[in-house]
Amino acid sequence: MVAVTSNRAGPKRKHQRLILVVLALAAMIGGVLLAMSALRSQAAYFYTPAEALAAKVEPGRAIRLGGMVEAGSIKRHANGTTVDFRLTDGKATVPASFTGITPDLFAENSGAVAEGAFGEDGVFRATNILAKHDERYMPRQMEGIKYDPQTHQVDASGQ
């Protein structure tokens, strides 16, 4: 009888698996890097007015600017949709402008986050405004109803 031996030309199975794992890892890392570079241009960073002025944010860069709407600063234009206001954090104040319908909770001495970019003139041009309220907010329809945040129980008796 003649013994038959295999003279395989090429890598062994163990090496083939290793090559496939390395290629899969390289593809995954490439995909993550590609996604990160795509999201970098879409990211809007959050600044307070003092941070935005200190960082000297370049005009046209998309950011979020958050603070309190300064008392007496809201000025509505005759067209009814453009609003000029100032955002402050107590340390610095930034003039801002928004064209569109403002949220119901947007008012003086209330918190707001404006998304947009600074113009060449230093005025923040908001494309979107998010008005903030405190956690104790209660709609008018629910006045007199007591809510216990620990037990999540509602007492509708009004007492």
Side-chain angles (χ1 to χ4, degrees):
M1 263 187 113
V2 176
V4 178
T5 59
S6 173
N7 288 338
R8 278 177 112 178
K12 294 183 181 177
R13 285 185 182 240
K14 194 187 303 185
H15 294 315
Q16 285 178 339
R17 273 189 247 140
L18 181 63
I19 290 171
L20 287 175
V21 168
V22 169
L23 287 175
L25 283 174
M28 286 176 49
I29 290 171
V32 167
L33 291 175
L34 187 63
M36 286 174 51
S37 69
L39 291 176
R40 175 181 256 190
S41 63
Q42 298 296 321
Y45 297 100
F46 180 84
Y47 290 96
T48 64
E51 292 170 345
L53 294 176
K56 294 183 173 85
V57 178
E58 63 270 6
R61 179 176 171 213
I63 65 166
R64 289 184 178 150
L65 186 67
M68 299 294 285
V69 179
E70 193 173 68
S73 71
I74 296 179
K75 307 282 187 257
R76 298 190 184 272
H77 291 229
N79 65 9
T81 59
T82 302
V83 179
D84 293 333
F85 58 98
R86 290 188 304 270
L87 284 175
T88 184
D89 61 358
K91 299 174 189 170
T93 301
V94 172
S97 179
F98 174 70
T99 300
I101 299 171
T102 58
D104 292 338
L105 295 174
F106 180 76
E108 295 173 353
N109 294 320
S110 68
V113 175
E115 297 175 341
F118 280 99
E120 295 290 336
D121 56 357
V123 176
F124 186 78
R125 308 270 186 241
T127 56
N128 190 21
I129 294 179
L130 307 168
K132 295 170 35 178
H133 60 79
D134 66 6
E135 60 277 354
R136 295 171 297 179
Y137 171 74
M138 181 80 63
R140 258 184 262 131
Q141 296 85 350
M142 295 182 68
E143 286 179 6
I145 296 175
K146 293 185 179 181
Y147 171 72
D148 185 357
Q150 276 81 29
T151 63
H152 302 291
Q153 298 295 317
V154 176
D155 180 14
S157 67
Q159 297 173 356

